[in-house]
Amino acid sequence: MDESIIELMRAGRPDEALGRLVPAYRRRVFGLAYSILRDRAAAEDVAQEVFVKVWQAFDSYDGRARLSTWIYAITRNTAIGALRKRSRLVSLSEPDVSAVVDAMEARDAPDDGGDRQLWRLVDGLPEKQRQAVVLFYQDDRPIEEIADMLGMPVNTVKTHLHRARARLAGALAADKENAA
Amino acid sequence: MNAEDTAAMQALDNRLRKVFSGLDATPGFEQRLQARIATLATQPSEETRARLEHEHDLARAAADRAARLDGLVIVIGGVGSLVAVWRFAPSLVQLYSASLERASPAMIGVATLAAAGAALWAVLRQFDVDPRRLVGA
């Protein structure tokens, strides 16, 4: 798939290249942006921006890195930029930052009570563990692909995922005991 | 890890899959993107915009320079005229008086009309009016 997209890019047909690229990468770009931002609306804005940037930069893609690696790097940078911008805006306009973050989390969480609890637990994980969990369970992705998306070694992703699962299982067991 | 732990982990995996498998952009994402790109495609590129802005800046600077030069010329011309009038005023008055004494009333009238006509011509040309059209020439 990537080869045909690159061929279209090199043939000076950016619109057709984008037409193939978006369906192939939409979920992955959105998932990666969401794993960084923890907000669906912001992740969608970032995903749009990423594809616009990719479309504008087709000419500058030199093929040294894989297409996916290039797109994921753009996504990470754009999402981190959006996160910084949002942090600045929130710190300037809202005295109670945690209330804003809680409101965003509540808006994104599923309605089902049990899933909401799990969503909250995932949200409370350390950043890298949370990103690994979101990207792994979104599409049952291979660890190698998640490593490419996050720009980190495969073993590091494995470790984050393992620790995240252990932590979630522990937290769920503790919740169950408290409820009993 | 015992069987109970394995079952708990499997249940956790299933719940996590259920929670995150629906994580996707909202419907119409691609159409919105196409619309955004279509808008961008009709706008000049950053490079073109920068070049146009640079050209605009150069033109504005040239106009400013020309205006300053015009002002300087007017000031120098004005000062020069004042000095000339101051310096040659007595001889000009003398010449004017002598000419008046020598000229007939008809000649003075023609000269006055010619001067007024020339001044009117200059004023009309200043406002882009062709005086020949006014008289049907």
Side-chain angles (χ1 to χ4, degrees):
Chain A
M1 171 56 94
D2 283 3
E3 284 74 24
S4 66
I5 294 170
I6 293 167
E7 269 178 35
L8 287 169
M9 283 160 60
R10 289 193 174 140
R13 290 151 70 185
D15 292 345
E16 283 175 66
L18 192 74
R20 290 201 195 175
L21 189 131
V22 176
Y25 279 93
R26 190 196 63 236
R27 267 180 79 84
R28 289 184 268 184
V29 166
F30 180 83
L32 180 54
Y34 179 84
S35 77
I36 294 168
L37 292 159
R38 298 192 294 163
D39 176 36
R40 279 179 192 257
E44 185 152 328
D45 285 346
V46 163
Q48 289 262 339
E49 206 177 323
V50 166
F51 287 118
V52 169
K53 281 182 181 174
V54 167
W55 175 77
Q56 286 174 328
F58 272 155
D59 291 344
S60 66
Y61 176 70
D62 55 12
R64 274 187 296 181
R66 278 186 298 165
L67 182 67
S68 58
T69 307
W70 183 61
I71 293 171
Y72 296 146
I74 294 174
T75 307
R76 284 198 304 274
N77 291 336
T78 309
I80 289 166
L83 192 65
R84 285 191 186 134
K85 202 169 162 186
R86 192 173 73 186
S87 306
R88 275 201 303 273
L89 286 175
V90 170
S91 65
L92 282 174
S93 61
E94 294 289 342
D96 189 357
V97 176
S98 61
V100 176
V101 173
D102 287 348
M104 287 188 319
E105 286 165 4
R107 190 184 59 203
D108 284 343
D111 292 336
D112 176 74
D115 286 347
R116 186 186 283 270
Q117 177 207 20
L118 188 58
W119 193 277
R120 189 176 48 76
L121 288 174
V122 171
D123 225 49
L125 289 171
E127 187 190 354
K128 298 295 176 194
Q129 291 182 20
R130 187 189 67 242
Q131 289 178 358
V133 165
V134 170
L135 295 174
F136 182 77
Y137 289 103
Q138 186 194 16
D139 272 326
D140 267 338
R141 286 196 178 90
I143 301 290
E144 290 74 16
E145 193 183 340
I146 298 172
D148 191 20
M149 291 173 95
L150 295 175
M152 58 175 68
V154 170
N155 283 332
T156 310
V157 175
K158 278 184 189 168
T159 306
H160 285 316
L161 199 54
H162 177 74
R163 285 182 185 161
R165 288 171 79 230
R167 193 185 271 237
L168 289 173
L172 285 171
D175 278 0
K176 208 171 174 181
E177 272 176 31
N178 289 339
Chain B
M1 191 180 276
N2 59 32
E4 200 180 324
D5 287 341
T6 309
M9 276 299 184
Q10 237 166 16
L12 174 63
D13 285 343
N14 289 337
R15 283 181 67 187
L16 285 167
R17 270 188 202 99
K18 191 178 156 208
V19 167
F20 291 108
S21 62
L23 201 59
D24 199 352
T26 52
F29 177 88
E30 273 137 69
Q31 286 75 14
R32 286 194 296 281
L33 179 65
Q34 290 297 342
R36 199 168 157 181
I37 283 176
T39 310
L40 284 173
T42 58
Q43 288 170 350
S45 68
E46 200 64 37
E47 197 183 325
T48 312
R49 205 177 305 133
R51 189 173 48 77
L52 289 173
E53 267 175 30
H54 180 63
E55 283 173 8
H56 185 66
D57 287 346
L58 287 179
R60 203 165 36 203
D64 286 349
R65 269 198 309 276
R68 274 198 298 273
L69 195 66
D70 286 351
L72 194 66
V73 167
I74 289 168
V75 168
I76 290 171
V79 170
S81 302
L82 280 174
V83 169
V85 167
W86 186 262
R87 172 74 178 78
F88 299 109
S91 46
L92 282 173
V93 168
Q94 220 169 16
L95 182 68
Y96 181 67
S97 305
S99 304
L100 278 183
E101 279 169 15
R102 266 183 266 134
S104 65
M107 195 181 268
I108 292 170
V110 169
T112 306
L113 280 174
L120 184 64
W121 182 287
V123 169
L124 288 173
R125 293 299 296 174
Q126 193 66 33
F127 291 101
D128 284 335
V129 178
D130 188 351
R132 284 170 297 192
R133 280 195 186 169
L134 293 176
V135 294

